[in-house]
């Protein structure tokens, strides 16, 4: 077996891991939790026990969830999706992949540049106001890589949405509140994508 055959088999295995949408849904919940924590930090002025709950307990809960998220997803897969695997979806073709990569990459870059130009034009913004754009660019590039690696078209859409939400959140709010808005919007998008493909996966299984 050649290295290309090994690489193809690994790519197919990784693509199958994401096909049912459960990993996306779990990641969407994580993004929403991060956004919720940042929203509380940005909007609540509290002291005492509640301050400790927000500052220490919530990050710990989020960290534990992030560490055990893969185990949780695998448990749900064994219960709902792995026992009856439907026929795998046909991955996007080469020309579709190239067009999707080009359009999504251009959209991501355009939104980040738009947000950057808006912040620069506003003037007087702190360094923290640029953080959502940087995070949006990093996550968007990651989704571009996953879409190209796994040949899953929906990841190209999420890459473009990452740039859009980063630009809008940086213009609508400042600092931690802008980051909270970004993670909230991205979390909703990723969660919706995961649930949609989970429902489609389960319907496909019942129709066999």
């Amino acid at each position: 077996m050649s290295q290309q055959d090994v690489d193809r088999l690994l790519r197919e295995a990784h693509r199958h891991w994401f096909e049912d949408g459960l990993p996306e849904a779990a990641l969407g919940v994580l993004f929403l939790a991060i956004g919720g924590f940042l929203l509380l930090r940005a909007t609540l002025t509290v002291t005492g026990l509640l301050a400790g709950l927000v500052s220490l307990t919530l990050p710990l809960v989020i960290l534990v969830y992030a560490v055990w998220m893969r185990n949780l997803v695998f448990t749900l897969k064994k219960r709902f999706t792995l026992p009856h695997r439907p026929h795998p979806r046909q991955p996007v073709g080469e020309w579709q992949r190239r067009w999707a990569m080009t359009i999504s990459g251009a959209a991501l870059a355009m939104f980040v540049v738009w947000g950057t130009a808006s912040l620069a034009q506003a003037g007087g913004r702190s360094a923290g106001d640029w953080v959502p754009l940087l995070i949006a660019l990093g996550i968007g590039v990651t989704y571009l890589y996953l879409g190209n690696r796994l040949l899953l078209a929906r990841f190209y859409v999420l890459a473009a949405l990452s740039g859009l939400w980063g630009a809008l959140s940086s213009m609508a709010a400042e600092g931690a509140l802008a980051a909270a808005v970004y993670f909230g919007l991205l979390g909703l998008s990723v969660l919706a994508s995961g649930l949609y493909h989970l429902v489609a996966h389960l319907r496909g299984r019942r129709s066999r």
Side-chain angles (χ1 to χ4, degrees), residues 71-148:
N71 291 335
L72 173 63
V73 170
F74 188 66
T75 300
L76 293 174
K77 279 177 172 288
K78 287 194 297 183
R79 175 64 178 84
F80 296 105
T81 64
L82 286 183
H84 304 283
R85 178 180 176 180
H87 295 295
R89 296 186 182 92
Q90 185 69 21
V92 296
E94 180 63 20
W95 72 270
Q96 293 99 328
R97 180 192 66 80
R98 290 183 179 179
W99 272 107
M101 182 75 171
T102 301
I103 294 173
S104 179
L108 173 63
M110 180 187 68
F111 289 135
V112 171
V113 170
W114 177 39
T116 301
S118 298
L119 286 180
Q121 186 178 10
R125 303 291 292 267
S126 65
D129 295 340
W130 297 83
V131 171
L133 276 176
L134 296 177
I135 296 175
L137 179 60
I139 293 180
V141 170
T142 301
Y143 272 117
L144 282 178
Y145 169 78
L146 288 175
N148 188 61

